[in-house]
Amino acid sequence: MTSTAAPPTETPRTAEPQPQPRPQPHGDRRFGLPVATCLVMGNIIGGGIFLLPASVAPFGTISLVAFAVLTLGAVALALVFGRLARRHPQTGGPYVYARAAFGDFAGFLAAWSYWITTWVSNAALAVAAVGYLGVLFPAIGAHKWSMCLAALVVQWLPALANLAGTRYVGAVQLVATVLKFAPLLLVAVGGLLFFDPANLGPFRATDQTAVGAVSASAAILLFSYLGVESAAVSAGEVRDPARNVGRATILGTVGAATVYLLGTLAVFGLVAHDTLVSSQAPFTDAVNAMFGGTWGGTVVACAAVVSMVGALNGWTLLSAQTPYAAAKDGLFPKVFETKKRGVPVVGVVVTVVLASALTVYNYTAGSEGVFEILVLVTTFTATVPYLLSTAAQLYFLLSGRSERVDRGRLVRDGVLAGLAFAFSMWLVAGSGYAAVYQGVLFLFAGVAVYAVLAARRRRATVPPAG
């Protein structure tokens, strides 16, 4: 379906032909701009938005400043992905860009770290969804095994939608995004009609300096924008990727940022600051403040479940796309190259099995600490492809690769790439020492895998001596 990435060997100053997508099999349907945009928005906004206002309330309304700064960084990163996708419109996203700029090993690290991020995050999303399901169906939360079973069902339903083909993935993503945003927009937009400035509380609610308060609240919010690369990773499944991937990435990121900012601001103005600081369900409290009664909990729980199922649907697809692209280049086991109905089926199955195993381990061992550490690791591993992608863009801009650079936009693209790289470094810093330490161990484990695969490729391409 898609072409392989450009070879890592460089031919300075000479225009090389751009890779052309392979003809699509009969009946294979790819995403248009609306579904690609929903994929980005759905993956950025999982279930975290339903807790974010309460998480940053202790810092005061200055946390909205942190939101604004992070939004600028995320948009810069989205623009860089859009520029890179225009030149490399193939499935794999960051893997393709890193390999084209720095060679096989960098490409493998991008693919390996991104794959770890997806399947561990899927397990975390499923476990979080069970908490909201418990509100709708109290019997689920009665025993750890019923909770475990519910978490597995939440993971396998999106996987089955993926295995059915890309058109079903797109349909689920579109419906989930619409159902998710209806209640969120109700609070984000409708809540402004009930906005009471007296509820806002202090601008700076801690003894920290303004810079310290912004940094502290940003550390909580940093990972709210993971997923901006979603359309780029699935570029091979998007119609006219050179045109639509960049648009979907920017539209999806800006749309998610708008919902984040308006939703948080509305909750700040609907729920008294002292109540919001200790709230376990800030959007529930906001809906109750708007309309009275206690039915808000059910509405928010339904929205949260739909939100996370939609996010799982999109992340399951992404978890298979990067290994698929790497497998086509011999940098992942060849079995990951298997594709049916437009979906890398082996990647989907392996990913959901690993996520399911981690979920079962979490419930049986009761090792919440271990699970939380693994989730924190994903916040670091997700930034590795970001750093490599932004570094690849800087490399193309500064190395004289004329066939990859729009000279009329050189300065603008350079500034955007620098901002996106700084944003990615901020994500790494926000992960914390423990997460970075554990994440580096995960990356080094991948080095052994790369060594085995590289040796096999060498034996396959070099005839025996004599």
Side-chain angles (χ1 to χ4, degrees):
M1 172 177 292
T2 58
S3 305
T4 57
T9 55
E10 185 173 340
T11 54
R13 307 289 183 182
T14 60
E16 58 186 59
Q18 294 300 314
Q20 299 297 320
R22 295 175 183 172
Q24 297 302 305
H26 180 69
D28 185 21
R29 299 184 182 181
R30 299 200 289 173
F31 303 147
L33 178 61
V35 172
T37 302
C38 288
L39 183 66
V40 176
M41 292 182 70
N43 286 352
I44 292 177
I45 301 180
I49 188 174
F50 296 96
L51 295 175
L52 276 179
S55 300
V56 297
F59 301 101
T61 52
I62 196 172
S63 57
L64 295 174
V65 177
F67 249 134
V69 173
L70 288 171
T71 298
L72 291 176
V75 170
L77 188 60
L79 288 169
V80 169
F81 276 121
R83 297 300 300 163
L84 287 167
R86 182 176 292 274
R87 291 293 180 180
H88 299 275
Q90 302 120 343
T91 292
Y95 157 74
V96 174
Y97 315 144
R99 182 171 180 262
F102 309 120
D104 287 350
F105 185 61
F108 172 82
L109 286 181
W112 178 260
S113 58
Y114 195 77
W115 185 54
I116 292 172
T117 300
T118 54
W119 63 265
V120 177
S121 295
N122 281 2
L125 274 172
V127 172
V130 170
Y132 289 102
L133 280 172
V135 175
L136 302 174
F137 308 101
I140 289 177
H143 193 275
K144 68 178 183 180
W145 286 115
S146 60
M147 296 172 66
C148 181
L149 179 60
L152 293 177
V153 170
V154 168
Q155 289 178 56
W156 278 91
L157 286 178
L160 292 176
N162 272 264
L163 293 174
T166 52
R167 60 178 176 176
Y168 294 99
V169 177
V172 171
Q173 199 66 30
L174 189 60
V175 171
T177 301
V178 171
L179 293 178
K180 173 197 314 187
F181 282 107
L184 290 177
L185 290 175
L186 172 66
V187 175
V189 178
L192 298 179
L193 301 176
F194 300 85
F195 191 89
D196 185 356
N199 288 329
L200 290 176
F203 177 70
R204 196 169 74 236
T206 65
D207 295 332
Q208 297 170 293
T209 64
V211 174
V214 169
S215 298
S217 54
I220 298 174
L221 301 170
L222 276 173
F223 313 110
S224 303
Y225 287 104
L226 294 181
V228 298
E229 75 291 343
S230 301
V233 172
S234 296
E237 319 310 327
V238 178
R239 288 194 296 270
D240 191 7
R243 177 184 179 89
N244 286 333
V245 167
R247 291 184 173 188
T249 301
I250 295 167
L251 290 174
T253 302
V254 172
T258 301
V259 173
Y260 276 152
L261 289 167
L262 288 180
T264 302
L265 178 61
V267 172
F268 275 12
L270 288 167
V271 183
H273 181 262
D274 293 341
T275 302
L276 184 59
V277 168
S278 57
S279 174
Q280 298 299 312
F283 273 80
T284 296
D285 295 336
V287 172
N288 291 340
M290 290 169 65
F291 303 108
T294 59
W295 55 271
T298 301
V299 173
V300 172
C302 289
V305 171
V306 170
S307 177
M308 283 181 278
V309 170
L312 277 165
N313 181 64
W315 279 108
T316 299
L317 176 64
L318 298 189
S319 68
Q321 296 287 22
T322 298
Y324 164 78
K328 290 180 70 65
D329 298 325
L331 298 180
F332 245 66
K334 188 173 180 59
V335 67
F336 282 91
E337 193 178 341
T338 305
K339 202 170 192 181
K340 295 181 180 178
R341 295 175 291 278
V343 174
V345 291
V346 173
V348 169
V349 172
V350 171
T351 294
V352 73
V353 167
L354 287 172
S356 298
L358 183 57
T359 301
V360 172
Y361 174 75
N362 176 61
Y363 281 109
T364 55
S367 52
E368 294 183 5
V370 173
F371 191 79
E372 290 171 359
I373 289 174
L374 289 173
V375 171
L376 285 174
V377 168
T378 66
T379 62
F380 166 73
T381 56
T383 61
V384 174
Y386 292 176
L387 284 169
L388 288 171
S389 296
T390 52
Q393 175 72 338
L394 288 171
Y395 169 77
F396 294 142
L397 293 171
L398 299 175
S399 64
R401 298 295 296 272
S402 58
E403 76 282 0
R404 300 176 191 273
V405 176
D406 185 333
R407 293 295 181 181
R409 300 177 177 178
L410 181 61
V411 174
R412 189 197 71 175
D413 285 353
V415 171
L416 286 174
L419 289 174
F421 188 86
F423 177 67
S424 301
M425 287 296 293
W426 196 9
L427 288 173
V428 173
S431 301
Y433 293 108
V436 173
Y437 171 75
Q438 298 285 348
V440 169
L441 293 181
F442 270 86
L443 288 181
F444 284 174
V447 173
V449 177
Y450 175 80
V452 173
L453 294 173
R456 289 180 178 176
R457 291 178 65 205
R458 177 73 176 176
R459 288 200 307 268
T461 57
V462 178

